[in-house]
Amino acid sequence: MGDGRQRRRNECWWIASRFTLLLCLGVQVSSQIRYSIPEAVKEGSAVGNLAKDLGLDVSTLKERRFRIVSGSKDALFQVNQNNGVLYVQKKIDREELCDSDGPCLINLKMVVENPLEVHYVGIEVTDVNDHSPVFLERQLHLEIAENKAPGARFELPPARDLDVGINSVRNYKLTQNEHFSLELRDGGEEDKIPFLILQKYLDRERTSKHELILTAIDGGNPPKSGFLNISVIVLDTNDNQPVCSQDTYSLTLQENVAVGTVVMRVNATDADEGLNGKVEYTLSRNTKRIAHDLFQLDITTGELSVKGKIDFEENQIFRLNIQASDKGQPPLSVDCGVIIKTLDVNDNKPEIEVTSLTNVVSEDSKIGTVIALISVTDKDSGHNAKILCTLSDDATFELIPSVENDMYSLVTKKPLDRELLSSYDVTVTATDSGQPPLTTFKTLTVQLSDVNDNSPEFTQNPLELYLAENNTPGSSIFSVSASDKDLNENAVISYQIIRGNGAQNDMTSFLSINSENGNIHALKSFDFETIKAFNFQVVATDSGTPPLSSNVTVKVFILDENDNAPVILSPVNTNGSAEVVEEIPRNVNAGHLVTKIRAYDADVGYNGWLLFSLQEITDHSLFGLDRYTGQIRTLRSFTETDEAEHKLIILVKDNGNVSLSATATLIVKAVEPKEAFAASDVKHVVKNEEENNLTFYLMITLGSVSVLFLISIIVLIVMQCSKSTDYSSKYLQDTNYDGTLCHSIQYRSGDKRYMLVGPRMSIGSTIVPGSTGNTLVAPGHRGRTSEDVSSCFYP
């Protein structure tokens, strides 16, 4: 404050001397103007209109060079010569400009020329609350003894705030607690010094450290604050005596205990810390001399150990007084009583003797069969000689006492099963009634002999075999295996095929089996087109007495192979090839149907899917062949230069891995329209006769299929009623038959169309995945799945 007053006196003297000098020089001087602005005002903010306040003509300011000549620190201010406004050129920080708490004043000297005038401008920078209170340290550590009396005062460091006036530190707050409060004292020049006041005694054993927060708050709006973390460490005093975990320790001790044996441990705790809480143990002077001779006490751990021979006949009880003392000044102590009772020693274990033992027992032994005779004895007497016998496996065996207390019979308690457990290790435990009890163990091994009580077992029933057709006769096609839980001869298994009754679908006569290893051989080559599936049974028999057996059903599914070449139905086949002459008028247009190749394949699936292609043709530009339907059409009209006769060789092949094929030769003759019409009439008569014959044959075929279908239904009903599982037809080898159709032959007579259909296997019973058997595929449906395209006839 004194520096501020001195500074203001110097400024007044400076202004007066300059005013006197100017008067002497004849320079016009006006009175001083004062403005006030807050610190941190934005750059460019107006302070005041000097031209207006000084009465100057604004239009002459630039001509008279109105400017600031001195007093602006680092050019904080600047004057606009166009309008005479004084504005802030740089950001102002009051705390950097002025250190005192008094007014912060900046003096400027303004000059205009013609005539020369000097003006003085004073700018007071007012404070804003832009600084928070700050403590010189973030953490303060205080150490206070727990016996410090309430009312003790501890000075705390004050906070400092660069702001002044109301924006400086105005108050302090302390976190609420029961042990401390806050008191503020006047430190002069409006400063306040905080003091920490102890309200009540501290207890280190309850709380060894107190965490407080001192908050300094200034008087700004809004107020700002700073924090000081205060850690009060409570120093220990020896105000707690040791405490024993028990007032009196009682224990029993057997005679003849080994020297050095730790009998017990006295445990005393002291809530103090350091030397005040460190406890030492000693035998008090009033303890009898015999106890000093027989026992030794560890001064640090409190362990009481034996250092002499304990004799029950000489001393049955010992009374010791142990003193636990801390190392405080003065030390505090407590007495702990110890009572030791000696016990007579049970130093003889029971003895177990097996007088008779049957080592091997049949697994079909009856309940109550005697396995062994056991006797137990004990050299001790009285209560120490009473013996209790138990078994480790009391669920399977039991001990039955005899007339004499020391004899027992070991007998079976439940049926035995060698397959579950082939041998038993039975432990007999004999325990006397001494304190502590002594125990003896004896283990008896009982072996079980096998009897033929388990039939052979197959891992799966039924078994499924997928066999490709055209297999090599005599080769192994499958192997069955069964297991038997019995041993030796009772587990030796032989295999046989159960022969059928010679029915049409009985394939057992074409099968043989190795009786030792279960390998099954096929004596013939199977044909998928003849039989698609069949079942047979294998019986496995052990060599026990009497022998036991079990059956397994083997389901054989024949897989189709591409072993049938396509058969061309139209034109008529002749030794695997076909040749026909087809006459057409020369005036036909493009797209005229010349003829259609019809073929059939006995295989199924992809093996029966037929594709047509032109192997040889005289004129590729004249005729075209649909690869899926076999239709031959003209690609263009005939010209005068075209030949009258054309030869086409058509190749029909299936889609097997190794495809088979057939060829047909077509001679196409182009004739004049009159000749074509005459030939057409002849063909029409022949075709009518063929269609009549074909209709007759279709009627006979449909009648036969209907009769066969009725017979199949009757047989199925009889089989269902008799619950028989051996039936299988030539066309239906699986009970999953769904009645859908496979093979089809189409005949066309004029505008009429006939179809002869036959049964097929259901999708669930097909052999090849994706195949639906001999299903019909309509021509022209080219975008089909593997199930849809497994056709066997192309009309």
Side-chain angles (χ1 to χ4, degrees), residues 357-372 396-397 410-419 421-424 426 445-451:
L357 174 64
T358 303
N359 291 325
V360 179
V361 180
S362 177
E363 66 173 322
D364 61 350
S365 298
K366 296 181 180 180
I367 297 176
T369 301
V370 178
I371 306 299
T396 307
F397 304 94
L410 179 64
V411 299
T412 58
K413 189 177 180 181
K414 71 174 186 178
L416 305 176
D417 189 352
R418 189 207 61 79
E419 285 71 35
L421 191 61
S422 60
S423 66
Y424 294 86
V426 183
T445 300
V446 180
Q447 298 286 344
L448 299 186
S449 61
D450 184 52
V451 296

Side-chain angles (χ1 to χ4, degrees), residues 453-500:
D453 57 349
N454 290 277
S455 301
E457 294 180 357
F458 291 94
T459 57
Q460 183 179 352
N461 193 2
L463 300 175
E464 293 184 353
L465 168 61
Y466 296 89
L467 178 63
E469 64 174 331
N470 303 321
N471 56 292
T472 303
S475 62
S476 176
I477 61 172
F478 196 53
S479 179
V480 296
S481 178
S483 60
D484 197 313
K485 296 180 181 178
D486 294 323
L487 289 178
N488 302 326
E489 292 297 324
N490 296 331
V492 177
I493 300 174
S494 61
Y495 302 92
Q496 289 182 341
I497 293 177
I498 300 177
R499 301 299 176 180

Side-chain angles (χ1 to χ4, degrees), residues 128-139:
V128 296
N129 192 24
D130 56 348
H131 293 86
S132 300
V134 177
F135 290 93
L136 296 180
E137 298 178 358
R138 299 291 299 175
Q139 186 76 31

